[in-house]
Amino acid sequence: MNRTIAYDIQEHGHAAKDSVIVLKNVSKERRQHTVGPLNWSLPRGCITALVGENGTGKSTLLHMLLRTLYPDSGEISWFGQTVQGEMPLALRQQIAYVSENPSREEDRMTARKAAAFRSYWYPNWDEQQFEQLLQTFDVPTDAQLSKISKGQRQKFELAAAIAAKPRLLLLDEPSSGLDPFAWKDMIIMLNQAMEQEELTILITTHRMEEVKRLADYVVLMHQGQICGMQEKDELYQQWKEVWINPVQDMQTLSWLQECPGIIEWDDKPDGSVRILTSDAQILQQTAEESGIVTQVHGLEWEELLSCWVKDYHLKRDREARL
């Protein structure tokens, strides 16, 4: 991890003192599905990536955090403060937001004029930092925002958000449509902001490389639920693919099926077996004690998320049967 805080990932629902945002039984009815109930805390001083398929509720969650969408039930607190109704201005000034699709209201403004307007709402606005960011990342200052490229527009949005000196920065798919050069600039800008500021970032993304380069924690949403939160480095080691060569001893195979952590067991026509497990070491050790040859492989990003979802549902099914 790039940044370290006292935060127990296993108890993230109760780590309020080290959290910027805390959700308690938060739910929202949408046309096609329900988001929640959500119980989750956003760790302070870190970059957390919110991932999941389209339509799982990520944007709904962000808008509830911005208070542009009100939950139907439950409670949200920001920096230890719970709000009923509209978010107070003093609290709103501590939060900055960058959307996947910038607002069209400022299209006819130049970067400088748009920044001057925004600075009115943020008392800690740092004009010197804003100008420096625009210069560093080659954003035109005197062209209308509608006339500059998407990459330049998104870098302007990020520069303005950082110059507002927020304590919390919410980013909704900020790299969507960016070319590789603009994307690299975005990564640099965000990492520099984390090094220089007292800042927490929550970013929704579909890009594995973005998670690798930025995130300290990863949160997975699926069908309106939060499946959990993991440290990024631990997530990449959480599940493994284990292959077992063809064997004749079916009794031994049945023993292996009892090993903990197995979420998928796939018998192949040639007699080999492909297994997905969160405890590859025990499985491999048990197999080798029986003279069975195994091969262990890491998983790609999409496979990791799929395993996470399967594991989440298996645990819920077991809890429901108790």
Side-chain angles (χ1 to χ4, degrees):
M1 288 177 61
N2 300 322
R3 294 153 286 272
T4 303
I5 56 170
Y7 190 84
D8 187 346
I9 198 68
Q10 300 299 326
E11 300 293 336
H12 62 264
H14 307 282
K17 66 179 182 179
D18 292 313
S19 302
V20 169
I21 287 176
V22 178
L23 282 74
K24 296 180 180 179
N25 296 315
V26 172
S27 294
K28 181 66 180 179
E29 290 286 343
R30 307 300 282 166
R31 288 185 178 181
Q32 303 296 329
H33 62 280
T34 300
V35 176
L38 305 177
N39 291 282
W40 172 63
S41 300
L42 177 65
R44 170 184 50 81
C46 296
I47 298 180
T48 300
L50 181 61
V51 302
E53 298 175 348
N54 290 332
T56 59
K58 301 188 300 297
S59 292
T60 296
L61 173 55
L62 284 190
H63 283 288
M64 287 194 290
L65 299 184
L66 286 166
R67 212 64 178 170
T68 54
L69 196 63
Y70 285 41
D72 297 322
S73 60
E75 179 182 283
I76 305 175
S77 63
W78 295 260
F79 314 109
Q81 181 179 348
T82 303
V83 173
Q84 299 294 331
E86 188 174 348
M87 182 181 289
L89 178 59
L91 182 57
R92 181 67 183 85
Q93 288 169 332
Q94 300 179 60
I95 302 171
Y97 171 62
V98 177
S99 171
E100 177 182 2
N101 299 304
S103 170
R104 303 269 70 93
E105 294 178 0
E106 296 174 332
D107 276 359
R108 295 182 180 276
M109 296 184 185
T110 65
R112 280 205 175 98
K113 286 185 177 179
F117 173 75
R118 295 187 188 197
S119 67
Y120 176 81
W121 299 101
Y122 288 96
N124 295 322
W125 178 272
D126 189 332
E127 183 65 23
Q128 182 177 353
Q129 183 183 32
F130 174 72
E131 292 284 347
Q132 183 177 359
L133 286 170
L134 293 191
Q135 182 177 359
T136 300
F137 296 105
D138 195 27
V139 179
T141 56
D142 296 318
Q144 286 187 359
L145 293 177
S146 61
K147 304 297 184 182
I148 64 178
S149 71
K150 180 167 185 178
Q152 290 172 328
R153 176 66 180 266
Q154 203 67 344
K155 285 187 284 186
F156 158 76
E157 296 292 340
L158 286 168
I162 292 168
K165 297 294 183 182
R167 295 172 65 188
L168 172 63
L169 177 55
L170 303 177
L171 306 174
D172 192 4
E173 299 284 351
S175 64
S176 177
L178 295 189
D179 63 58
F181 300 102
W183 179 81
K184 183 179 179 180
D185 284 344
M186 184 196 78
I187 297 296
I188 294 172
M189 192 183 297
L190 292 175
N191 276 321
Q192 287 179 348
M194 289 299 296
E195 291 171 1
Q196 299 169 4
E197 311 292 344
E198 190 76 26
L199 182 61
T200 298
I201 296 177
L202 177 62
I203 177 172
T204 70
T205 181
H206 287 92
R207 299 179 67 161
M208 175 189 68
E209 191 62 25
E210 209 157 271
V211 175
K212 284 184 176 180
R213 295 280 295 273
L214 286 173
D216 299 302
Y217 292 100
V218 182
V219 177
L220 175 64
M221 288 196 73
H222 179 69
Q223 295 179 348
Q225 299 291 320
I226 290 179
C227 297
M229 181 163 65
Q230 297 250 10
E231 285 193 27
K232 175 192 63 182
D233 295 336
E234 291 182 2
L235 173 60
Y236 280 99
Q237 300 300 320
Q238 181 72 30
W239 293 279
K240 298 291 185 181
E241 177 187 68
V242 179
W243 282 90
I244 296 177
N245 291 345
V247 297
Q248 301 298 322
D249 188 352
M250 302 308 295
Q251 181 65 42
T252 301
L253 279 183
S254 67
W255 289 342
L256 291 180
Q257 285 182 298
E258 299 302 317
C259 287
I262 294 175
I263 61 173
E264 185 175 308
W265 181 286
D266 185 11
D267 294 298
K268 300 298 182 180
D270 65 355
S272 63
V273 183
R274 178 181 181 267
I275 304 165
L276 297 178
T277 177
S278 62
D279 208 332
Q281 186 174 0
I282 289 181
L283 179 61
Q284 190 175 27
Q285 181 179 341
T286 304
E288 289 177 352
E289 288 173 354
S290 303
I292 298 176
V293 178
T294 62
Q295 299 177 46
V296 179
H297 304 286
L299 296 173
E300 296 295 330
W301 176 245
E302 292 77 10
E303 294 174 309
L304 282 172
L305 296 186
S306 177
C307 285
W308 197 348
V309 170
K310 289 177 183 177
D311 197 29
Y312 170 75
H313 286 296
L314 285 172
K315 288 177 180 176
R316 290 194 66 181
D317 290 343
R318 285 195 294 268
E319 291 171 357
R321 289 195 295 268
L322 294 178

